[in-house]
Amino acid sequence: RKKAEPFSSPFSISNVFSHHFCFLSQDEIDSAVKMLLSLKMSYKAAMGEDYKADCPPGNPAPTSNHGPDAAEAEEDFVDPWTVQTSSAKGIDYDKLIVRFGSSKIDKELINRIERATGQRPHRFLRRGIFFSHRDMNQVLDAYENKKPFYLYTGRGPSSEAMHVGHLIPFIFTKWLQDVFNVPLVIQMTDDEKYLWKDLTLDQAYGYAVENAKDIIACGFDINKTFIFSDLDYMGMSSGFYKNVVKIQKHVTFNQVKGIFGFTDSDSIGKISFPAIQAAPSFSNSFPQIFQDRTDIQCLIPCAIDQDPYFRMTRDVAPRIGYPKPALLHSTFFPALQGAQTKMSASDPNSSIFLTDTAKQIKTKVNKHAFSGGRDTIEEHRQFGGNCDVDVSFMYLTFFLEDDDKLEQIRKDYTSGAMLTGELKKVLIEVLQPLIAEHQARRKEVTDEIAKEFMTPRELSFDFQ
């Protein structure tokens, strides 16, 4: 069976359904399949094991550490709110590509981006940090034929402090904006954070403005960038709200339950929110930028946990007469404690925050960064370290620009010539100036500059 959006399954469940329940519509069948898969994932997250129809909870099936069930038990769990893996190496992204039905960013696509832009590919592309896509070739076809596209990414402002992991999509989006010379919209989902977190509306909006200042400090061009708070913009743009309503009309409650795992006790705000995250994918949501044009394709760089929103969006788009958005997916940025743990704004030691001092950065890396080194210096010299699980090395793949230097570090650490303390020292020397430079730029972003970025207005671009 052809890979399907929004979900692909290793079993052709819908074929079985179709055979026995031919009086059901395809939409109803797809919705039931999605719901079944979602329930199985929820069961697994709660019970720590796969659901087996002939073996209810409390009566566990006999298991062995070998065979297919053992592999199944280590499946990763990824949705917009939860990322779980039992592997110290982190998520298995090749499996995720198959499960989500996206396409791998291969050498051929990277070479094509280089030809189209005339620029060396960003290190995030060269190193597989952005690893998966939907319809990127279509965007490049349009670009080469002088047809326009625009960029859309976002941020859920759940606290005032952002960490280095939050910068990943923005660093890459800035590069895309520069090399393709296209407009960009950045959605601050303060409404989402109000619905999901214990925040007041004023707090959520305040975090949106503060986070916007950190995003502006990444160096975006004010003439080509519109940053908007959902709480603010929804009331200003009839085009945006009309698209929200169109999307809401074409997605059933069963579908969002299947895609996002919502339950009957979730608030109606949560259930309707996915339509709000979907709406910026369509150009006429921004009449001040694109007037009433509906034909401009959108490209969305984001972490792969956001993909469920856009699988839903791509499913709806043709039914409401719009082009499907294209996507570029990034890997997850690991917590200091290791790739199988999650960074948390409430745990100051789980990541390097953009407000950290040089001393705090040094202390956090030395004390908390999970090491792939051996227990003793003698063992390490003899057997070498493991770069696949070493967080300091992982962080260097994100932030060290020099490919040759990174490869030399990998060889030296793997062979045992470089010790963990020396590797951590290299990372500290990369992170301290990076954070200090960000803080200096952030200081220059006044309330007035933030307000200008967040005011609906025309942007400059040379679309035909």
Side-chain angles (χ1 to χ4, degrees), residues 41 220 263:
M41 288 172 86
F220 290 105
T263 67

Side-chain angles (χ1 to χ4, degrees), residues 274-292:
I276 297 170
Q277 185 158 325
S281 310
F282 306 129
S283 54
N284 62 340
S285 290
F286 305 98
Q288 73 283 1
I289 304 173
F290 304 115
Q291 285 73 51
D292 55 0

Side-chain angles (χ1 to χ4, degrees), residues 17 28 30 49 52 58 64-65 69 105 160 182 207 303 327 335 340 361 365 407:
F17 275 28
E28 287 170 305
D30 287 346
E49 60 182 52
K52 293 183 178 63
S64 92
N65 290 328
D69 283 348
I105 294 178
E160 215 168 298
V182 288
Y207 292 159
L327 284 102
Q340 74 271 55
I361 292 166
V365 171
E407 179 56 21

Side-chain angles (χ1 to χ4, degrees), residues 285-300:
S285 290
F286 305 98
Q288 73 283 1
I289 304 173
F290 304 115
Q291 285 73 51
D292 55 0
R293 286 186 67 171
T294 59
D295 61 329
I296 303 173
Q297 190 172 19
C298 174
L299 173 62
I300 306 168

Side-chain angles (χ1 to χ4, degrees), residues 209-262:
V209 174
E210 289 307 307
N211 286 189
K213 291 177 183 177
D214 271 313
I215 293 166
I216 292 163
C218 292
F220 290 105
D221 184 342
I222 196 165
N223 299 309
K224 297 191 181 76
T225 308
F226 173 46
I227 303 176
F228 64 98
S229 137
D230 283 343
L231 290 174
D232 239 4
Y233 185 62
M234 184 84 91
M236 292 185 200
S237 172
S238 60
F240 190 88
Y241 186 59
K242 282 174 185 170
N243 279 339
V244 169
V245 174
K246 281 183 188 176
I247 296 158
Q248 286 172 340
K249 184 172 181 174
H250 286 81
V251 182
T252 66
F253 181 38
N254 263 349
Q255 284 172 319
V256 289
K257 280 203 288 191
I259 297 168
F260 300 101
F262 295 141

Side-chain angles (χ1 to χ4, degrees), residues 285-417:
S285 290
F286 305 98
Q288 73 283 1
I289 304 173
F290 304 115
Q291 285 73 51
D292 55 0
R293 286 186 67 171
T294 59
D295 61 329
I296 303 173
Q297 190 172 19
C298 174
L299 173 62
I300 306 168
C302 61
I304 194 153
D305 61 336
Q306 297 302 300
D307 188 67
Y309 284 110
F310 301 113
R311 294 206 293 279
M312 181 198 82
T313 310
R314 285 168 56 84
D315 184 52
V316 169
R319 288 186 276 150
I320 56 178
Y322 299 148
K324 292 181 178 185
L327 284 102
L328 291 167
H329 299 124
S330 76
T331 59
F332 300 116
F333 191 79
L336 280 169
Q337 285 77 5
Q340 74 271 55
T341 59
K342 197 170 187 305
M343 279 181 293
S344 164
S346 58
D347 177 3
N349 294 321
S350 68
S351 188
I352 306 294
F353 284 81
L354 301 180
T355 50
D356 284 348
T357 63
K359 187 180 177 187
Q360 284 173 315
I361 292 166
K362 184 176 181 179
T363 304
K364 282 185 182 183
V365 171
N366 283 330
K367 273 184 77 172
H368 301 289
F370 185 80
S371 164
R374 303 288 173 170
D375 291 340
T376 66
I377 289 177
E378 291 72 27
E379 273 184 50
H380 188 89
R381 292 286 190 213
Q382 188 178 352
F383 301 111
N386 183 354
C387 287
D388 288 340
V389 301
D390 192 288
V391 167
S392 296
F393 185 80
M394 289 179 194
Y395 277 29
L396 286 173
T397 64
F398 281 87
F399 295 117
L400 181 64
E401 178 60 40
D402 188 327
D403 289 347
D404 294 336
K405 189 174 177 186
L406 185 70
E407 179 56 21
Q408 191 59 53
I409 291 167
R410 191 189 64 75
K411 283 180 181 165
D412 290 348
Y413 194 63
T414 305
S415 70

